[in-house]
Amino acid sequence: MTPSARGDLFDPACPTRRLLDRIGTKWTSMTVKILAEAAPDEVRFADLRRRIPGVSQKMLSVTLQSLVRDGLVTRRVEDTVPPRVHYRLTGLGTSLESALAVLRTWAEEHMAEVDEANQKSER
């Protein structure tokens, strides 16, 4: 598939599915939101971890590695002891933030309805 080619979500071999698996997690959404709020400044790993309740160091590290690999985030390491690691959204990451913001808003607005439907289905 060429970089400009559009994916087909319904094709089992399409990489779109793998990408949606990676960007569709709560940790990715929260990380991208914090980095977007800080833009154009960088955010240190420790600050990200403090601002995302419940995320483990390992899960945040895995999430950031994936975002860096996908070109959504840049990583900069300061040569200090211990090293200070900084992250920032790329242009591509900023474009993802606007899409994730719509999804987060929808979830916040409809959470009660979804919870009610879940409760009804358990009866």
PDB file of all heavy atoms in Angstrom, residues 80-96:
ATOM      1  N   THR A  80      21.309  13.419  31.026  1.00  0.00           N
ATOM      2  CA  THR A  80      21.490  13.703  32.448  1.00  0.00           C
ATOM      3  C   THR A  80      21.400  12.388  33.206  1.00  0.00           C
ATOM      4  O   THR A  80      21.065  11.355  32.631  1.00  0.00           O
ATOM      5  CB  THR A  80      20.390  14.661  32.961  1.00  0.00           C
ATOM      6  OG1 THR A  80      19.115  14.053  32.735  1.00  0.00           O
ATOM      7  CG2 THR A  80      20.456  16.011  32.277  1.00  0.00           C
ATOM      8  N   VAL A  81      21.686  12.443  34.499  1.00  0.00           N
ATOM      9  CA  VAL A  81      21.558  11.238  35.329  1.00  0.00           C
ATOM     10  C   VAL A  81      20.537  11.541  36.415  1.00  0.00           C
ATOM     11  O   VAL A  81      20.776  12.402  37.249  1.00  0.00           O
ATOM     12  CB  VAL A  81      22.915  10.843  35.952  1.00  0.00           C
ATOM     13  CG1 VAL A  81      22.748   9.627  36.856  1.00  0.00           C
ATOM     14  CG2 VAL A  81      23.938  10.577  34.863  1.00  0.00           C
ATOM     15  N   PRO A  82      19.386  10.892  36.429  1.00  0.00           N
ATOM     16  CA  PRO A  82      18.885  10.001  35.379  1.00  0.00           C
ATOM     17  C   PRO A  82      18.483  10.808  34.139  1.00  0.00           C
ATOM     18  O   PRO A  82      18.261  12.014  34.230  1.00  0.00           O
ATOM     19  CB  PRO A  82      17.656   9.358  36.032  1.00  0.00           C
ATOM     20  CG  PRO A  82      17.169  10.358  37.018  1.00  0.00           C
ATOM     21  CD  PRO A  82      18.401  11.085  37.507  1.00  0.00           C
ATOM     22  N   PRO A  83      18.387  10.140  32.990  1.00  0.00           N
ATOM     23  CA  PRO A  83      18.025  10.854  31.769  1.00  0.00           C
ATOM     24  C   PRO A  83      16.613  11.446  31.873  1.00  0.00           C
ATOM     25  O   PRO A  83      15.729  10.843  32.465  1.00  0.00           O
ATOM     26  CB  PRO A  83      18.063   9.781  30.676  1.00  0.00           C
ATOM     27  CG  PRO A  83      18.552   8.544  31.307  1.00  0.00           C
ATOM     28  CD  PRO A  83      18.603   8.726  32.776  1.00  0.00           C
ATOM     29  N   ARG A  84      16.440  12.619  31.306  1.00  0.00           N
ATOM     30  CA  ARG A  84      15.111  13.235  31.229  1.00  0.00           C
ATOM     31  C   ARG A  84      14.600  13.022  29.817  1.00  0.00           C
ATOM     32  O   ARG A  84      15.273  13.377  28.847  1.00  0.00           O
ATOM     33  CB  ARG A  84      15.189  14.725  31.537  1.00  0.00           C
ATOM     34  CG  ARG A  84      15.506  15.004  32.976  1.00  0.00           C
ATOM     35  CD  ARG A  84      15.497  16.486  33.226  1.00  0.00           C
ATOM     36  NE  ARG A  84      15.832  16.734  34.616  1.00  0.00           N
ATOM     37  CZ  ARG A  84      16.292  17.870  35.059  1.00  0.00           C
ATOM     38  NH1 ARG A  84      16.478  18.885  34.221  1.00  0.00           N
ATOM     39  NH2 ARG A  84      16.555  18.023  36.332  1.00  0.00           N
ATOM     40  N   VAL A  85      13.403  12.462  29.736  1.00  0.00           N
ATOM     41  CA  VAL A  85      12.823  12.144  28.435  1.00  0.00           C
ATOM     42  C   VAL A  85      11.623  13.053  28.208  1.00  0.00           C
ATOM     43  O   VAL A  85      10.751  13.179  29.071  1.00  0.00           O
ATOM     44  CB  VAL A  85      12.414  10.658  28.350  1.00  0.00           C
ATOM     45  CG1 VAL A  85      11.922  10.318  26.953  1.00  0.00           C
ATOM     46  CG2 VAL A  85      13.587   9.755  28.743  1.00  0.00           C
ATOM     47  N   HIS A  86      11.597  13.698  27.042  1.00  0.00           N
ATOM     48  CA  HIS A  86      10.563  14.673  26.696  1.00  0.00           C
ATOM     49  C   HIS A  86       9.818  14.208  25.445  1.00  0.00           C
ATOM     50  O   HIS A  86      10.418  13.627  24.539  1.00  0.00           O
ATOM     51  CB  HIS A  86      11.194  16.035  26.385  1.00  0.00           C
ATOM     52  CG  HIS A  86      12.053  16.558  27.478  1.00  0.00           C
ATOM     53  ND1 HIS A  86      11.602  17.450  28.405  1.00  0.00           N
ATOM     54  CD2 HIS A  86      13.354  16.309  27.794  1.00  0.00           C
ATOM     55  CE1 HIS A  86      12.578  17.749  29.245  1.00  0.00           C
ATOM     56  NE2 HIS A  86      13.652  17.064  28.897  1.00  0.00           N
ATOM     57  N   TYR A  87       8.519  14.525  25.404  1.00  0.00           N
ATOM     58  CA  TYR A  87       7.675  14.139  24.269  1.00  0.00           C
ATOM     59  C   TYR A  87       6.906  15.345  23.763  1.00  0.00           C
ATOM     60  O   TYR A  87       6.555  16.240  24.528  1.00  0.00           O
ATOM     61  CB  TYR A  87       6.697  13.035  24.680  1.00  0.00           C
ATOM     62  CG  TYR A  87       7.400  11.762  25.060  1.00  0.00           C
ATOM     63  CD1 TYR A  87       7.792  11.514  26.377  1.00  0.00           C
ATOM     64  CD2 TYR A  87       7.716  10.815  24.097  1.00  0.00           C
ATOM     65  CE1 TYR A  87       8.459  10.355  26.723  1.00  0.00           C
ATOM     66  CE2 TYR A  87       8.386   9.650  24.434  1.00  0.00           C
ATOM     67  CZ  TYR A  87       8.759   9.429  25.745  1.00  0.00           C
ATOM     68  OH  TYR A  87       9.424   8.290  26.078  1.00  0.00           O
ATOM     69  N   ARG A  88       6.612  15.322  22.455  1.00  0.00           N
ATOM     70  CA  ARG A  88       5.859  16.391  21.809  1.00  0.00           C
ATOM     71  C   ARG A  88       5.092  15.800  20.627  1.00  0.00           C
ATOM     72  O   ARG A  88       5.594  14.899  19.948  1.00  0.00           O
ATOM     73  CB  ARG A  88       6.841  17.448  21.308  1.00  0.00           C
ATOM     74  CG  ARG A  88       6.201  18.558  20.533  1.00  0.00           C
ATOM     75  CD  ARG A  88       7.207  19.487  19.905  1.00  0.00           C
ATOM     76  NE  ARG A  88       8.321  19.720  20.819  1.00  0.00           N
ATOM     77  CZ  ARG A  88       9.123  20.753  20.778  1.00  0.00           C
ATOM     78  NH1 ARG A  88       8.972  21.664  19.863  1.00  0.00           N
ATOM     79  NH2 ARG A  88      10.118  20.888  21.616  1.00  0.00           N
ATOM     80  N   LEU A  89       3.895  16.321  20.373  1.00  0.00           N
ATOM     81  CA  LEU A  89       3.131  15.876  19.207  1.00  0.00           C
ATOM     82  C   LEU A  89       3.776  16.366  17.927  1.00  0.00           C
ATOM     83  O   LEU A  89       4.288  17.486  17.871  1.00  0.00           O
ATOM     84  CB  LEU A  89       1.698  16.426  19.248  1.00  0.00           C
ATOM     85  CG  LEU A  89       0.699  15.766  20.168  1.00  0.00           C
ATOM     86  CD1 LEU A  89      -0.671  16.433  19.999  1.00  0.00           C
ATOM     87  CD2 LEU A  89       0.586  14.281  19.951  1.00  0.00           C
ATOM     88  N   THR A  90       3.723  15.548  16.900  1.00  0.00           N
ATOM     89  CA  THR A  90       4.107  15.964  15.550  1.00  0.00           C
ATOM     90  C   THR A  90       2.867  16.578  14.891  1.00  0.00           C
ATOM     91  O   THR A  90       1.768  16.574  15.479  1.00  0.00           O
ATOM     92  CB  THR A  90       4.570  14.755  14.716  1.00  0.00           C
ATOM     93  OG1 THR A  90       3.455  13.866  14.569  1.00  0.00           O
ATOM     94  CG2 THR A  90       5.748  14.041  15.359  1.00  0.00           C
ATOM     95  N   GLY A  91       3.015  17.041  13.683  1.00  0.00           N
ATOM     96  CA  GLY A  91       1.857  17.538  12.935  1.00  0.00           C
ATOM     97  C   GLY A  91       0.813  16.446  12.748  1.00  0.00           C
ATOM     98  O   GLY A  91      -0.397  16.686  12.872  1.00  0.00           O
ATOM     99  N   LEU A  92       1.279  15.238  12.478  1.00  0.00           N
ATOM    100  CA  LEU A  92       0.368  14.106  12.321  1.00  0.00           C
ATOM    101  C   LEU A  92      -0.365  13.823  13.629  1.00  0.00           C
ATOM    102  O   LEU A  92      -1.571  13.565  13.650  1.00  0.00           O
ATOM    103  CB  LEU A  92       1.148  12.877  11.855  1.00  0.00           C
ATOM    104  CG  LEU A  92       0.365  11.634  11.468  1.00  0.00           C
ATOM    105  CD1 LEU A  92      -0.596  11.925  10.327  1.00  0.00           C
ATOM    106  CD2 LEU A  92       1.325  10.511  11.095  1.00  0.00           C
ATOM    107  N   GLY A  93       0.366  13.900  14.739  1.00  0.00           N
ATOM    108  CA  GLY A  93      -0.250  13.694  16.052  1.00  0.00           C
ATOM    109  C   GLY A  93      -1.282  14.757  16.368  1.00  0.00           C
ATOM    110  O   GLY A  93      -2.334  14.468  16.951  1.00  0.00           O
ATOM    111  N   THR A  94      -1.004  15.985  15.985  1.00  0.00           N
ATOM    112  CA  THR A  94      -1.962  17.071  16.201  1.00  0.00           C
ATOM    113  C   THR A  94      -3.244  16.816  15.408  1.00  0.00           C
ATOM    114  O   THR A  94      -4.344  17.061  15.901  1.00  0.00           O
ATOM    115  CB  THR A  94      -1.330  18.421  15.800  1.00  0.00           C
ATOM    116  OG1 THR A  94      -0.166  18.627  16.602  1.00  0.00           O
ATOM    117  CG2 THR A  94      -2.295  19.566  15.999  1.00  0.00           C
ATOM    118  N   SER A  95      -3.106  16.280  14.207  1.00  0.00           N
ATOM    119  CA  SER A  95      -4.304  15.971  13.414  1.00  0.00           C
ATOM    120  C   SER A  95      -5.112  14.843  14.057  1.00  0.00           C
ATOM    121  O   SER A  95      -6.335  14.827  13.980  1.00  0.00           O
ATOM    122  CB  SER A  95      -3.947  15.630  11.963  1.00  0.00           C
ATOM    123  OG  SER A  95      -3.292  14.380  11.873  1.00  0.00           O
ATOM    124  N   LEU A  96      -4.437  13.911  14.725  1.00  0.00           N
ATOM    125  CA  LEU A  96      -5.135  12.843  15.434  1.00  0.00           C
ATOM    126  C   LEU A  96      -5.889  13.406  16.636  1.00  0.00           C
ATOM    127  O   LEU A  96      -6.992  12.960  16.946  1.00  0.00           O
ATOM    128  CB  LEU A  96      -4.151  11.762  15.894  1.00  0.00           C
ATOM    129  CG  LEU A  96      -4.721  10.659  16.775  1.00  0.00           C
ATOM    130  CD1 LEU A  96      -5.810   9.880  16.042  1.00  0.00           C
ATOM    131  CD2 LEU A  96      -3.607   9.740  17.251  1.00  0.00           C
TER     132      LEU A  96
END
